Amino acid sequence: MGFSSIKDYVDSEESGKHTISIFRKSGTVSVGAVGIWLDFSVFGGNPKPNYYASNPLESAVLNGNFGLYHGQNVPTSKYLKRLTIPVAHGVGLNHLTLCDYLMYYPFVDGDETSPQPMENTITLPRYTNGEGVRAVMVSQSPYAGGQSYFINYTNSDGVSGRISPTVTSQSAAPISGSLPITQTQSECFLPLAAGDKGVRSIESITISAPMGGLHALVLVRPLARIAEFDVTSPVEKDFLTDQGTMPEIKNGAYLGFFAFHPGNPGAALALFGSIETVWGDN
Amino acid sequence: MKEHLKKLSGTPEEKKELFEMFLAKLQSGQPLADAEIPMFEFLKKEILGGDDGV
């Protein structure tokens, strides 16, 4: 459900059923490398950094209040209205993917070459069957990289023992918050076995050879994409008018950005902007 | 690192020992290594209590 008409949408805004919040995240280290993916939830600023700090290899969830703020829980449906990103860093342009961070498994040992089993003490809190849910690996510490890995997972049809195609970790700028995946991969998410539509849970990860570092496997639901295209002006996306559909944001969602940085900033990266949401009576 | 990870998944005493090692490091003016920060954040929550998941 949502809005039955444009008037309904406008009425919701005018009656205060919307929120605007500002965020600013800053990477504390020089990235200095071309073509890497970053998880901005790990970086400091507002909202506060996310350390993926919980029991090693046990499924855990993040508190939605500590991600990008999208307003109160609502009895109806809430939607992403607009994203605005002023380009602050002045060098290079990010391609950003807004995700709902659903669940994670922390402290994967990058030096362990035998399969590391995950303990699924809890299950997905949203998108519970796993359809559309993707897995991503985020480093929790610096690492050497350069090795390959794959995951065993249960897909959205409930079939366990699925094996992802093998991906290789990048070895440039292996900092906390970067994603150990090469830019030749089409996106930051781990590829799925043929025919699979999503990940319900992860059973294990296997790394081919020691690559160092600690890593978190994170299950996310991609919601929206926005690309910076000019260092001299902000980029803005109004989802109703620019896309014709507004992504739904579930109650309790922990929102954050994955960014692909194709250039070489050579300086600490900052990301700031605003997120606007709206909800109706239906 | 493996020793730290073992303690992180270990008994309450082992976790406390690791937490106190990190505390001693901080109190002596040394910063924690990048890999130690998420461990410290987890132990801080586990031993001292606090919010969830972050």
Side-chain angles (χ1 to χ4, degrees):
Chain A
M1 294 298 285
F3 306 103
S4 55
S5 64
I6 296 293
K7 181 182 182 305
D8 196 15
Y9 166 81
V10 173
D11 286 347
S12 283
E13 278 224 33
E14 290 192 340
S15 62
K17 296 188 180 76
H18 73 113
T19 186
I20 303 173
S21 72
I22 308 295
F23 55 86
R24 187 183 192 285
K25 305 286 276 182
S26 179
T28 52
V29 293
S30 166
V31 175
V34 173
I36 61 166
W37 285 94
L38 300 165
D39 176 359
F40 269 96
S41 82
V42 172
F43 291 166
N46 168 35
K48 67 178 184 174
N50 156 33
Y51 295 105
Y52 295 115
S54 58
N55 279 314
L57 306 183
E58 271 185 33
S59 58
V61 295
L62 295 166
N63 184 332
N65 291 328
F66 300 140
L68 303 176
Y69 184 68
H70 53 80
Q72 68 208 49
N73 286 346
V74 298
T76 55
S77 298
K78 183 167 35 179
Y79 297 92
L80 178 60
K81 179 194 169 194
R82 184 183 294 136
L83 284 174
T84 306
I85 316 274
V87 181
H89 41 79
V91 278
L93 297 162
N94 290 306
H95 184 137
L96 301 154
T97 304
L98 180 72
C99 292
D100 181 352
Y101 292 47
L102 302 168
M103 198 162 86
Y104 69 96
Y105 306 82
F107 298 115
V108 170
D109 184 354
D111 285 330
E112 181 60 60
T113 54
S114 56
Q116 296 178 65
M118 307 296 153
E119 198 171 323
N120 282 285
T121 49
I122 57 166
T123 55
L124 288 173
R126 298 174 293 282
Y127 310 97
T128 51
N129 69 1
E131 195 165 321
V133 173
R134 304 298 302 271
V136 62
M137 184 128 104
V138 177
S139 62
Q140 295 179 272
S141 74
Y143 55 99
Q147 305 303 330
S148 57
Y149 59 91
F150 63 88
I151 58 169
N152 285 62
Y153 64 95
T154 297
N155 69 13
S156 57
D157 293 326
V159 180
S160 61
R162 304 294 287 167
I163 299 173
S164 75
T166 298
V167 296
T168 303
S169 164
Q170 50 90 2
S171 53
I175 56 171
S176 299
S178 68
L179 275 49
I181 192 163
T182 56
Q183 63 169 324
T184 52
Q185 203 67 45
S186 59
E187 54 183 2
C188 61
F189 310 116
L190 302 184
L192 303 179
D196 283 358
K197 300 186 289 292
V199 179
R200 192 177 292 181
S201 61
I202 296 175
E203 289 146 22
S204 67
I205 181 169
T206 306
I207 300 171
S208 64
M211 67 175 190
L214 299 170
H215 311 273
L217 281 167
V218 189
L219 295 182
V220 301
R221 178 65 148 73
L223 297 177
R225 283 193 162 147
I226 186 168
E228 299 168 349
F229 55 86
D230 187 342
V231 295
T232 61
S233 61
V235 60
E236 183 175 88
K237 192 168 189 179
D238 186 305
F239 287 87
L240 185 61
T241 54
D242 295 341
Q243 190 172 286
T245 177
M246 296 187 292
E248 184 181 358
I249 296 177
K250 305 267 192 194
N251 284 337
Y254 181 104
L255 298 184
F257 283 109
F258 289 103
F260 178 69
H261 201 82
N264 182 351
L269 267 179
L271 176 72
F272 74 99
S274 63
I275 178 170
E276 298 176 50
T277 56
V278 60
W279 57 95
D281 291 320
N282 298 316
Chain B
M1 187 66 68
K2 278 202 181 296
E3 198 58 35
H4 283 8
L5 274 177
K6 198 175 154 196
K7 285 182 181 170
L8 209 61
S9 313
T11 63
E13 290 73 27
E14 286 175 317
K15 287 180 181 172
K16 194 165 180 225
E17 186 187 327
L18 188 61
F19 181 64
E20 284 173 354
M21 195 199 81
F22 290 150
L23 266 187
K25 198 171 172 182
L26 288 169
Q27 283 166 347
S28 70
Q30 297 176 66
L32 295 178
D34 278 5
E36 293 171 339
I37 294 171
M39 294 186 189
F40 179 70
E41 289 294 326
F42 164 54
L43 292 170
K44 193 169 71 175
K45 193 175 61 184
E46 185 91 344
I47 292 167
L48 304 179
D51 51 30
D52 55 343
V54 175

PDB file of all heavy atoms in Angstrom, chain A residues 239-251:
ATOM      1  N   PHE A 239      12.639  10.453  -6.374  1.00  0.00           N
ATOM      2  CA  PHE A 239      12.279   9.138  -6.901  1.00  0.00           C
ATOM      3  C   PHE A 239      10.924   9.110  -7.592  1.00  0.00           C
ATOM      4  O   PHE A 239      10.727   8.346  -8.534  1.00  0.00           O
ATOM      5  CB  PHE A 239      12.386   8.079  -5.790  1.00  0.00           C
ATOM      6  CG  PHE A 239      13.811   7.776  -5.461  1.00  0.00           C
ATOM      7  CD1 PHE A 239      14.496   8.527  -4.520  1.00  0.00           C
ATOM      8  CD2 PHE A 239      14.502   6.799  -6.140  1.00  0.00           C
ATOM      9  CE1 PHE A 239      15.841   8.284  -4.249  1.00  0.00           C
ATOM     10  CE2 PHE A 239      15.837   6.541  -5.881  1.00  0.00           C
ATOM     11  CZ  PHE A 239      16.507   7.291  -4.939  1.00  0.00           C
ATOM     12  N   LEU A 240       9.986   9.940  -7.135  1.00  0.00           N
ATOM     13  CA  LEU A 240       8.673   9.943  -7.789  1.00  0.00           C
ATOM     14  C   LEU A 240       8.774  10.531  -9.190  1.00  0.00           C
ATOM     15  O   LEU A 240       8.277   9.961 -10.155  1.00  0.00           O
ATOM     16  CB  LEU A 240       7.664  10.723  -6.947  1.00  0.00           C
ATOM     17  CG  LEU A 240       6.228  10.696  -7.484  1.00  0.00           C
ATOM     18  CD1 LEU A 240       5.678   9.272  -7.537  1.00  0.00           C
ATOM     19  CD2 LEU A 240       5.315  11.575  -6.656  1.00  0.00           C
ATOM     20  N   THR A 241       9.452  11.681  -9.302  1.00  0.00           N
ATOM     21  CA  THR A 241       9.477  12.349 -10.604  1.00  0.00           C
ATOM     22  C   THR A 241      10.592  11.822 -11.508  1.00  0.00           C
ATOM     23  O   THR A 241      10.445  11.791 -12.721  1.00  0.00           O
ATOM     24  CB  THR A 241       9.638  13.873 -10.436  1.00  0.00           C
ATOM     25  OG1 THR A 241      10.793  14.109  -9.635  1.00  0.00           O
ATOM     26  CG2 THR A 241       8.432  14.477  -9.760  1.00  0.00           C
ATOM     27  N   ASP A 242      11.716  11.414 -10.929  1.00  0.00           N
ATOM     28  CA  ASP A 242      12.844  10.980 -11.761  1.00  0.00           C
ATOM     29  C   ASP A 242      12.783   9.500 -12.118  1.00  0.00           C
ATOM     30  O   ASP A 242      13.383   9.064 -13.094  1.00  0.00           O
ATOM     31  CB  ASP A 242      14.178  11.242 -11.042  1.00  0.00           C
ATOM     32  CG  ASP A 242      14.435  12.722 -10.839  1.00  0.00           C
ATOM     33  OD1 ASP A 242      13.792  13.515 -11.542  1.00  0.00           O
ATOM     34  OD2 ASP A 242      15.251  13.079  -9.976  1.00  0.00           O
ATOM     35  N   GLN A 243      12.120   8.732 -11.293  1.00  0.00           N
ATOM     36  CA  GLN A 243      12.149   7.283 -11.484  1.00  0.00           C
ATOM     37  C   GLN A 243      10.756   6.690 -11.632  1.00  0.00           C
ATOM     38  O   GLN A 243      10.607   5.566 -12.092  1.00  0.00           O
ATOM     39  CB  GLN A 243      12.894   6.652 -10.297  1.00  0.00           C
ATOM     40  CG  GLN A 243      13.221   5.184 -10.452  1.00  0.00           C
ATOM     41  CD  GLN A 243      14.120   4.693  -9.330  1.00  0.00           C
ATOM     42  OE1 GLN A 243      15.305   4.989  -9.288  1.00  0.00           O
ATOM     43  NE2 GLN A 243      13.556   3.932  -8.407  1.00  0.00           N
ATOM     44  N   GLY A 244       9.761   7.444 -11.187  1.00  0.00           N
ATOM     45  CA  GLY A 244       8.389   6.958 -11.313  1.00  0.00           C
ATOM     46  C   GLY A 244       7.985   5.957 -10.253  1.00  0.00           C
ATOM     47  O   GLY A 244       6.867   5.451 -10.252  1.00  0.00           O
ATOM     48  N   THR A 245       8.889   5.653  -9.353  1.00  0.00           N
ATOM     49  CA  THR A 245       8.563   4.746  -8.251  1.00  0.00           C
ATOM     50  C   THR A 245       9.462   5.061  -7.068  1.00  0.00           C
ATOM     51  O   THR A 245      10.625   5.408  -7.250  1.00  0.00           O
ATOM     52  CB  THR A 245       8.731   3.276  -8.679  1.00  0.00           C
ATOM     53  OG1 THR A 245       8.460   2.434  -7.561  1.00  0.00           O
ATOM     54  CG2 THR A 245      10.140   2.990  -9.164  1.00  0.00           C
ATOM     55  N   MET A 246       8.879   4.967  -5.882  1.00  0.00           N
ATOM     56  CA  MET A 246       9.661   5.270  -4.686  1.00  0.00           C
ATOM     57  C   MET A 246       9.957   3.963  -3.935  1.00  0.00           C
ATOM     58  O   MET A 246       9.027   3.224  -3.593  1.00  0.00           O
ATOM     59  CB  MET A 246       8.881   6.222  -3.777  1.00  0.00           C
ATOM     60  CG  MET A 246       8.633   7.580  -4.415  1.00  0.00           C
ATOM     61  SD  MET A 246       7.887   8.765  -3.270  1.00  0.00           S
ATOM     62  CE  MET A 246       6.273   8.061  -3.051  1.00  0.00           C
ATOM     63  N   PRO A 247      11.242   3.680  -3.650  1.00  0.00           N
ATOM     64  CA  PRO A 247      11.560   2.463  -2.912  1.00  0.00           C
ATOM     65  C   PRO A 247      10.939   2.488  -1.516  1.00  0.00           C
ATOM     66  O   PRO A 247      10.937   3.530  -0.866  1.00  0.00           O
ATOM     67  CB  PRO A 247      13.094   2.496  -2.808  1.00  0.00           C
ATOM     68  CG  PRO A 247      13.541   3.453  -3.864  1.00  0.00           C
ATOM     69  CD  PRO A 247      12.442   4.446  -4.018  1.00  0.00           C
ATOM     70  N   GLU A 248      10.433   1.341  -1.091  1.00  0.00           N
ATOM     71  CA  GLU A 248       9.857   1.266   0.253  1.00  0.00           C
ATOM     72  C   GLU A 248      10.959   1.094   1.289  1.00  0.00           C
ATOM     73  O   GLU A 248      11.933   0.367   1.061  1.00  0.00           O
ATOM     74  CB  GLU A 248       8.877   0.091   0.345  1.00  0.00           C
ATOM     75  CG  GLU A 248       8.178   0.040   1.702  1.00  0.00           C
ATOM     76  CD  GLU A 248       7.205  -1.113   1.851  1.00  0.00           C
ATOM     77  OE1 GLU A 248       7.035  -1.878   0.874  1.00  0.00           O
ATOM     78  OE2 GLU A 248       6.638  -1.250   2.948  1.00  0.00           O
ATOM     79  N   ILE A 249      10.795   1.771   2.405  1.00  0.00           N
ATOM     80  CA  ILE A 249      11.733   1.602   3.527  1.00  0.00           C
ATOM     81  C   ILE A 249      10.964   0.967   4.676  1.00  0.00           C
ATOM     82  O   ILE A 249       9.990   1.531   5.179  1.00  0.00           O
ATOM     83  CB  ILE A 249      12.334   2.959   3.946  1.00  0.00           C
ATOM     84  CG1 ILE A 249      13.155   3.510   2.778  1.00  0.00           C
ATOM     85  CG2 ILE A 249      13.188   2.805   5.194  1.00  0.00           C
ATOM     86  CD1 ILE A 249      13.732   4.865   3.030  1.00  0.00           C
ATOM     87  N   LYS A 250      11.407  -0.216   5.066  1.00  0.00           N
ATOM     88  CA  LYS A 250      10.690  -0.966   6.093  1.00  0.00           C
ATOM     89  C   LYS A 250      10.954  -0.380   7.476  1.00  0.00           C
ATOM     90  O   LYS A 250      12.026   0.180   7.730  1.00  0.00           O
ATOM     91  CB  LYS A 250      11.150  -2.427   6.089  1.00  0.00           C
ATOM     92  CG  LYS A 250      11.019  -3.112   4.744  1.00  0.00           C
ATOM     93  CD  LYS A 250       9.722  -3.827   4.613  1.00  0.00           C
ATOM     94  CE  LYS A 250       9.717  -4.736   3.395  1.00  0.00           C
ATOM     95  NZ  LYS A 250       8.368  -5.186   3.048  1.00  0.00           N
ATOM     96  N   ASN A 251      10.007  -0.578   8.379  1.00  0.00           N
ATOM     97  CA  ASN A 251      10.235  -0.199   9.771  1.00  0.00           C
ATOM     98  C   ASN A 251      11.477  -0.903  10.302  1.00  0.00           C
ATOM     99  O   ASN A 251      11.677  -2.092  10.045  1.00  0.00           O
ATOM    100  CB  ASN A 251       9.033  -0.602  10.629  1.00  0.00           C
ATOM    101  CG  ASN A 251       7.855   0.337  10.439  1.00  0.00           C
ATOM    102  OD1 ASN A 251       8.022   1.486  10.025  1.00  0.00           O
ATOM    103  ND2 ASN A 251       6.662  -0.149  10.740  1.00  0.00           N
TER     104      ASN A 251
END
